[in-house]
Amino acid sequence: MTADSAPLYEHPDRNLALELVRATEAAAIRAQPFIGKGDKNAADGAAVDAMRKFLGTVDFDGVIVIGEGEKDEAPMLFNGEHVGTGRGPACDIAVDPIDGTSLTAAGRQNAISMLAASDRGTMLDASSVFYMNKIVTDADGIGVIDIDRPIGDNIRALAKAKGKDVGDIRVAVLDRPRHQQLIEDIRAAGAGTRLMLDGDVAGGINAARYGTRIDMCVGTGGSPEGVATACAIKALGGFIQTRLAPKDDDERQKGIDAGLDMDKLYEADDLVSGDNTFFVATGVTDGGLVAGVKRLGPIIRTESIVLRSHSGTIRRIEADHLVEKWL
């Protein structure tokens, strides 16, 4: 049976997103007591445990393509693990119970709990090569941006496509030593930077969303995060290009052995094929994408974003949870 002729129940449907957001809400809520406490491992452990428990209640047959690592290194939510009840749609899953564990531990902004899903067999497993070069914009970048061009040329081309002055373009970049020259080149072109301490998934999504203060997200970041970002970009109608960046010859060969192409320019359809992707995220700390989890007397308030490519919709969910149910 082909994908086009398969019964609808075999594919992730709109109800799945509302089930998945319960898992990111749970992870964010369990991480909340650790915000600003300096222990990123404790925060991550609490979030992983909560997400795993909630995923186990969802009626779907999920396989984690992008998780916390290999089974021996990550006893929970490891690559290849099956989650869900086993009943319902068969899905590839990308999870990050906390994207921004260091941000959470320090009490800084932009930490999220996130989960992406797509039809089984559609999500690229890029875990054998840890880093990739990425560039993300909204739809204005389609046919305009090329990751292989100098950043100044891309900035000027995007500014022209948007009808903006170059000086009004804002580019999000992870604040890392490896990006020192990139940051200098962005500023030399006349654009401004938005330096991120961590969490380039949120940066990429904000670059693709309408009405944000970020026009482009660029730089070298995690390959798993790039695949997860692509699930969101397909729902937003945005633009993403990536190229794998192995750190040495051994990792390069490992990627080749896994079927990855080191010379290939990976775009959205290469990172996750098909037109039925979900991306859900709940704020752990406040940020430009979603507000962080807050304890307000007898309630815990969460804000989440739910994106679906098939319908092209973006939904925000604000939920109040009784504290007594989480004790």
Side-chain angles (χ1 to χ4, degrees), residues 118-148:
S118 63
D119 292 325
R120 177 68 53 78
T122 59
M123 195 176 287
L124 179 72
D125 180 0
S127 58
S128 56
V129 178
F130 190 77
Y131 286 114
M132 60 172 49
N133 299 319
K134 314 171 195 175
I135 190 165
V136 184
T137 73
D138 63 9
D140 290 331
I142 298 173
V144 171
I145 299 299
D146 184 340
I147 197 171
D148 292 327

Side-chain angles (χ1 to χ4, degrees), residues 25 291 300-305 315-321:
E25 287 174 345
I300 301 170
R301 179 166 294 164
T302 59
E303 184 183 22
S304 304
I305 188 169
R315 290 184 172 88
R316 290 188 175 275
I317 300 174
E318 185 179 279
D320 288 346
H321 313 258

Side-chain angles (χ1 to χ4, degrees), residues 2 23-24 33 64 69-70 85 101-102 104 113 119 130 144 153 173 216 220 236 282 316 320 324:
T2 66
T24 57
I64 295 177
E70 300 301 324
T85 64
T101 53
S102 296
T104 302
S113 176
D119 292 325
F130 190 77
V144 171
D153 290 351
V173 188
M216 180 189 297
T220 303
L236 294 165
T282 301
R316 290 188 175 275
D320 288 346
E324 63 186 55

Side-chain angles (χ1 to χ4, degrees), residues 5-134:
S5 63
L8 291 177
Y9 66 81
E10 292 189 5
H11 301 286
D13 64 18
R14 69 191 71 183
N15 295 323
L16 180 61
L18 300 181
E19 289 294 303
L20 296 178
V21 79
R22 293 170 59 238
T24 57
E25 287 174 345
I29 289 170
R30 288 304 189 196
Q32 189 271 336
F34 299 96
I35 294 173
K37 300 296 179 62
D39 191 342
K40 68 177 185 179
N41 291 331
D44 191 47
V48 169
D49 185 54
M51 179 175 281
R52 190 173 195 275
K53 287 179 179 177
F54 268 78
L55 285 176
T57 70
V58 178
D59 282 336
F60 78 130
D61 179 14
V63 172
I64 295 177
V65 176
I66 298 169
E68 296 284 282
E70 300 301 324
K71 183 175 182 178
D72 291 341
E73 301 170 2
M76 296 181 180
L77 296 175
F78 56 85
N79 297 347
E81 180 178 0
H82 282 257
V83 293
T85 64
R87 300 185 300 271
C91 307
D92 285 347
I93 303 293
V95 298
D96 197 342
I98 303 180
D99 181 34
T101 53
S102 296
L103 300 177
T104 302
R108 295 192 175 107
Q109 292 191 334
N110 292 315
I112 60 173
S113 176
M114 57 131 289
L115 194 155
S118 63
D119 292 325
R120 177 68 53 78
T122 59
M123 195 176 287
L124 179 72
D125 180 0
S127 58
S128 56
V129 178
F130 190 77
Y131 286 114
M132 60 172 49
N133 299 319
K134 314 171 195 175

